[in-house]
C-alpha cells in the first residue's frame, strides 16, 4: 500500500499595501528575503498593465506566490515546496476573517496599530508553516490586547487548541438550552424585454446561533413537503443538495432524510 502525503507548508506570510509598502512579514521557513518578496510582487502584480490577466497564484523561479486582496491590502503567502495551494488560499481568507474579529476594520492604519498582536496571531495560527489554530473564538481566549496595546495571555492554553474540537471550548453550560436558526434567501431573476424569464435562481444561507450546554450532536433536515404536496407530488425525495453548498467544519457527515 502506498501512501502519498502532500506538504501544506507556507514559507512566509506578508501584508503589503497597494503601493507596495510592507506592513507585516513573518518567515516560517527558508524563503526569499523581505525585499525580494516585495519587489517581485510589485513587478508581477502592482505594476501589471492589465489587471484582467492577474491570477491569485503565480510562480517566480522556485517560489510560488498566493495572494488575496482586501481593500488596499494584499495578503501574500510564499511557498517553496509542493504544497496544497487551496489550503494556503483558505488560510489567507481565514487570517483575514480573524483580523476582522479582532480589529473590525482591516486597513493599513489598523494593521499598524496592532502589529504586535498580529505577530502573536501569526505565531499561533501557523506553526513552522503548517496551519494550526484558526478559530477566532478560541484564539480570543488566550490572545487579547489590553487598553495599553499590550498583548495579554493566560497562564494555561485552552484545551480546545490541541483537542478534537478547536471550534468550541469544553465545559460550556447554559441555564437554558436554546438554539436559533435564521434562513436568509436571495432571489435572482433575469427577464428579457419580452417578459420571458431567461434565468432564475434562489440563493440562501442558514445561520445558527447555539446556546447549548456541553458538546451536543444535532441533526438538521431540509424538506419541501408543503410545496410538493400542494403540487400533487408525494412520496418522492424532495431535497436536492447540489455540490456548491458550504458547511462548517463542525459537521460530522452530511445525511439527508425525508421528513
Amino acid at each position: 500500500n502506498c501512501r502519498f502525503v502532500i506538504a501544506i507548508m507556507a514559507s512566509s506570510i506578508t501584508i503589503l499595501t497597494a503601493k507596495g509598502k510592507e506592513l507585516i512579514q513573518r518567515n516560517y521557513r527558508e524563503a526569499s528575503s523581505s525585499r525580494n518578496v516585495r519587489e517581485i510582487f510589485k513587478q508581477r502584480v502592482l505594476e501589471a498593465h492589465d489587471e484582467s490577466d492577474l491570477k491569485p497564484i503565480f510562480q517566480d523561479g522556485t517560489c510560488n506566490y498566493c495572494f488575496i486582496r482586501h481593500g488596499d491590502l494584499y495578503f501574500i503567502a510564499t511557498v517553496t515546496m509542493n504544497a496544497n495551494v487551496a489550503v494556503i488560499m483558505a488560510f489567507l481568507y481565514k487570517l483575514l476573517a480573524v483580523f476582522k474579529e479582532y480589529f473590525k476594520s482591516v486597513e493599513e492604519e489598523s494593521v499598524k496599530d496592532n502589529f504586535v498582536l498580529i505577530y502573536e496571531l501569526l505565531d499561533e495560527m501557523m506553526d513552522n508553516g503548517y496551519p494550526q489554530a484558526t478559530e477566532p473564538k478560541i484564539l480570543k481566549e488566550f490572545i487579547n490586547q489590553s487598553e495599553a496595546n499590550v498583548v495579554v495571555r493566560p497562564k494555561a492554553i485552552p484545551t480546545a487548541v490541541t483537542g478534537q474540537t478547536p471550534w468550541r471550548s469544553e465545559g460550556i453550560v447554559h441555564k437554558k438550552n436554546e438554539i436559533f436558526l435564521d434562513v436568509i434567501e436571495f432571489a435572482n431573476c433575469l427577464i428579457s424585454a419580452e417578459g420571458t424569464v431567461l434565468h432564475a435562481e434562489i440563493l440562501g444561507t442558514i445561520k445558527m446561533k447555539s446556546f447549548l450546554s456541553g458538546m451536543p450532536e444535532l441533526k438538521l433536515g431540509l424538506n419541501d413537503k408543503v410545496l410538493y404536496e400542494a403540487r400533487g407530488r408525494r412520496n418522492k425525495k424532495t431535497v436536492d443538495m447540489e455540490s456548491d453548498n458550504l458547511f462548517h467544519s463542525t459537521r460530522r457527515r452530511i445525511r439527508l432524510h425525508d421528513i
Side-chain angles (χ1 to χ4, degrees), residues 205-223:
T205 59
I206 299 177
K207 296 185 178 181
M208 177 186 299
K209 195 166 187 179
S210 172
F211 296 94
L212 301 178
S213 303
M215 199 72 65
E217 182 174 338
L218 304 181
K219 292 183 179 180
L220 176 63
L222 304 175
N223 76 92

Side-chain angles (χ1 to χ4, degrees), residues 29-77:
R29 292 175 171 270
E30 296 180 3
S32 303
S33 65
S34 171
R35 182 177 179 275
N36 288 341
V37 172
R38 184 175 66 253
E39 292 300 326
I40 292 173
F41 190 82
K42 186 176 181 180
Q43 295 173 3
R44 297 288 297 269
V45 177
L46 301 183
E47 296 179 354
H49 297 289
D50 189 359
E51 292 187 359
S52 62
D53 293 335
L54 292 180
K55 298 177 178 60
I57 302 169
F58 65 89
Q59 186 176 24
D60 186 88
T62 59
C63 187
N64 299 305
Y65 291 76
C66 309
F67 72 93
I68 62 173
R69 181 174 181 176
H70 177 72
D72 292 333
L73 299 180
Y74 288 90
F75 292 71
I76 310 163

Side-chain angles (χ1 to χ4, degrees), residues 65-129:
Y65 291 76
C66 309
F67 72 93
I68 62 173
R69 181 174 181 176
H70 177 72
D72 292 333
L73 299 180
Y74 288 90
F75 292 71
I76 310 163
T78 59
V79 183
T80 57
M81 301 184 67
N82 184 22
N84 188 333
V85 293
V87 175
I88 298 297
M89 294 295 290
F91 176 82
L92 291 178
Y93 281 107
K94 195 67 177 180
L95 182 65
L96 176 60
V98 170
F99 286 177
K100 288 181 179 179
E101 287 289 331
Y102 274 88
F103 321 135
K104 305 304 179 185
S105 176
V106 182
E107 52 191 15
E108 182 177 351
E109 291 302 321
S110 62
V111 172
K112 289 181 179 179
D113 294 340
N114 298 278
F115 75 95
V116 175
L117 180 59
I118 290 176
Y119 276 109
E120 290 283 343
L121 290 171
L122 288 174
D123 287 340
E124 291 297 336
M125 294 182 65
M126 184 165 279
D127 182 17
N128 199 27

Side-chain angles (χ1 to χ4, degrees):
N1 294 330
C2 297
R3 184 181 180 185
F4 296 94
V5 179
I6 300 178
I8 308 173
M9 296 178 290
S11 299
S12 68
I13 300 293
T14 306
I15 301 178
L16 298 180
T17 66
K19 296 181 179 180
K21 181 180 178 181
E22 181 182 303
L23 300 178
I24 297 290
Q25 185 179 50
R26 177 67 171 89
N27 289 322
Y28 297 100
R29 292 175 171 270
E30 296 180 3
S32 303
S33 65
S34 171
R35 182 177 179 275
N36 288 341
V37 172
R38 184 175 66 253
E39 292 300 326
I40 292 173
F41 190 82
K42 186 176 181 180
Q43 295 173 3
R44 297 288 297 269
V45 177
L46 301 183
E47 296 179 354
H49 297 289
D50 189 359
E51 292 187 359
S52 62
D53 293 335
L54 292 180
K55 298 177 178 60
I57 302 169
F58 65 89
Q59 186 176 24
D60 186 88
T62 59
C63 187
N64 299 305
Y65 291 76
C66 309
F67 72 93
I68 62 173
R69 181 174 181 176
H70 177 72
D72 292 333
L73 299 180
Y74 288 90
F75 292 71
I76 310 163
T78 59
V79 183
T80 57
M81 301 184 67
N82 184 22
N84 188 333
V85 293
V87 175
I88 298 297
M89 294 295 290
F91 176 82
L92 291 178
Y93 281 107
K94 195 67 177 180
L95 182 65
L96 176 60
V98 170
F99 286 177
K100 288 181 179 179
E101 287 289 331
Y102 274 88
F103 321 135
K104 305 304 179 185
S105 176
V106 182
E107 52 191 15
E108 182 177 351
E109 291 302 321
S110 62
V111 172
K112 289 181 179 179
D113 294 340
N114 298 278
F115 75 95
V116 175
L117 180 59
I118 290 176
Y119 276 109
E120 290 283 343
L121 290 171
L122 288 174
D123 287 340
E124 291 297 336
M125 294 182 65
M126 184 165 279
D127 182 17
N128 199 27
Y130 292 93
Q132 195 173 234
T134 58
E135 288 296 327
K137 291 183 179 180
I138 301 301
L139 288 169
K140 283 186 175 183
E141 290 187 12
F142 64 101
I143 298 181
N144 274 300
Q145 197 168 23
S146 65
E147 295 180 357
N149 288 335
V150 177
V151 178
V152 180
R153 284 175 171 265
K155 295 181 180 179
I157 297 178
T159 56
V161 176
T162 56
Q164 296 181 349
T165 54
W167 58 83
R168 185 177 175 90
S169 301
E170 296 181 357
I172 296 178
V173 178
H174 295 281
K175 293 182 179 180
K176 186 177 181 181
N177 288 327
E178 295 179 319
I179 190 166
F180 298 93
L181 288 176
D182 289 331
V183 180
I184 305 173
E185 294 182 331
F186 301 91
N188 298 325
C189 186
L190 180 61
I191 303 176
S192 66
E194 292 76 19
T196 305
V197 177
L198 302 177
H199 177 75
E201 64 177 358
I202 297 177
L203 305 176
T205 59
I206 299 177
K207 296 185 178 181
M208 177 186 299
K209 195 166 187 179
S210 172
F211 296 94
L212 301 178
S213 303
M215 199 72 65
E217 182 174 338
L218 304 181
K219 292 183 179 180
L220 176 63
L222 304 175
N223 76 92
D224 294 325
K225 184 177 180 180
V226 176
L227 174 63
Y228 279 88
E229 285 186 352
R231 294 180 178 179
R233 297 172 58 183
R234 298 185 180 182
N235 299 326
K236 292 184 179 181
K237 184 178 180 180
T238 59
V239 178
D240 184 16
M241 299 289 286
E242 298 180 358
S243 58
D244 57 349
N245 290 283
L246 298 178
F247 293 88
H248 193 265
S249 58
T250 56
R251 77 190 188 283
R252 176 168 295 181
R253 62 174 59 181
I254 302 173
R255 293 179 179 177
L256 299 180
H257 302 278
D258 291 330
I259 301 178

